[in-house]
Amino acid sequence: MTTLVACSHGTNDPAGQDAVRRLIDDVRGLLPGVRVVPAVVDVEEPQIGEVLAQEASRDDVIVVPLLLSVGYHTAVDISRAVRTHANARQAEPLGTHPLVADVLADRLSAAIPDGWLPRDHVVLAAAGSSDPAASADVEAVATRLRPLIPARLTVGYASASTPRIVDAVSAARRDGAVRVIAASHVLAPGFFAGLIRAAGADVVSLPLAPDPRIAQVVADRFHAAR
């Protein structure tokens, strides 16, 4: 049996911790014959290195990053921990899976219960990374999301990349938007979700987890890496 290590960023936000726990419980429900173990790369415990040292001593391991794009945590923190164990492998992060765009579209619809306005503008609000591949992942999500919503969509980042979300929101208003909606491209409540809420959009959608479709993405990433 291969163990799935579900590795999230980690957060001090109790709502974010609960969202990740619920997501992992959903993954367990989809994979009843698989041991699913949580780990984090920052803020909380247990850290990924500690978890892998324990789990790889008893089983083959696949680490599924509960992250929405490549970046430092996937390329350094997780990869470095995985490389120290011959029977450990690393799956892709979640964000470019087609189901993620579907969840984003539904979160947007839920955020505007009275429906879309003719001059709405959506800013796909991502955490951001200095790794150019992370921006490519976010742009891939934007490409999938655009056909699903009846509004113009641009991209903004909370940190490390440009344009910043606040600048993307301002640019949308200068271009004539009557309402700017931030699509929260983050997994759970926490630091980056707070930055998105504070960036000045008129409406902010909820994070992506928990949602059964995000759990399915995790399961799909696990199966693809086996």
Side-chain angles (χ1 to χ4, degrees):
M1 183 175 71
T2 301
T3 295
L4 190 166
V5 173
C7 186
S8 62
H9 180 276
T11 178
N12 288 321
D13 188 322
Q17 294 170 357
D18 182 64
V20 172
R21 278 194 298 268
R22 290 169 62 189
L23 172 60
I24 292 173
D25 284 344
D26 287 344
V27 173
R28 291 188 177 112
L30 291 174
L31 301 170
V34 175
R35 177 174 165 83
V36 181
V37 179
V40 298
V41 294
D42 200 6
V43 182
E44 296 180 74
E45 299 289 341
Q47 294 281 309
I48 182 62
E50 173 189 348
V51 172
L52 272 180
Q54 178 174 329
E55 297 302 326
S57 69
R58 65 169 110 184
D59 197 0
D60 291 338
V61 175
I62 292 174
V63 180
V64 180
L66 303 187
L67 302 166
L68 293 174
S69 68
V70 298
Y72 183 86
H73 293 307
T74 59
V76 178
D77 293 327
I78 296 175
S79 292
R80 182 166 51 200
V82 166
R83 283 197 301 269
T84 62
H85 302 280
N87 60 331
R89 297 187 296 281
Q90 180 176 343
E92 293 183 31
L94 310 181
T96 57
H97 193 291
L99 284 175
V100 170
D102 293 343
V103 177
L104 280 165
D106 287 349
R107 293 288 188 269
L108 286 167
S109 294
I112 47 171
D114 294 330
W116 294 92
L117 300 176
R119 292 166 67 189
D120 277 340
H121 186 118
V122 172
V123 173
L124 180 61
S129 170
S130 58
D131 186 338
S135 296
D137 282 355
V138 175
E139 290 293 344
V141 176
T143 297
R144 286 199 173 98
L145 182 57
R146 285 189 179 99
L148 303 180
I149 60 173
R152 186 179 176 195
L153 184 147
T154 53
V155 173
Y157 298 95
S159 68
S161 301
T162 56
R164 292 290 199 264
I165 300 166
V166 64
D167 296 327
V169 169
S170 297
R173 291 202 175 103
R174 287 196 303 272
D175 287 345
V178 298
R179 182 172 61 175
V180 182
I181 306 162
S184 295
H185 187 50
V186 293
L187 197 66
F191 176 74
F192 288 110
L195 293 180
I196 293 168
R197 288 195 304 273
D202 300 297
V203 179
V204 180
S205 68
L206 292 175
L208 298 174
D211 187 286
R213 291 166 293 183
I214 301 300
Q216 185 62 58
V217 174
V218 177
D220 288 351
R221 293 301 197 223
F222 172 75
H223 287 308
R226 295 187 80 172

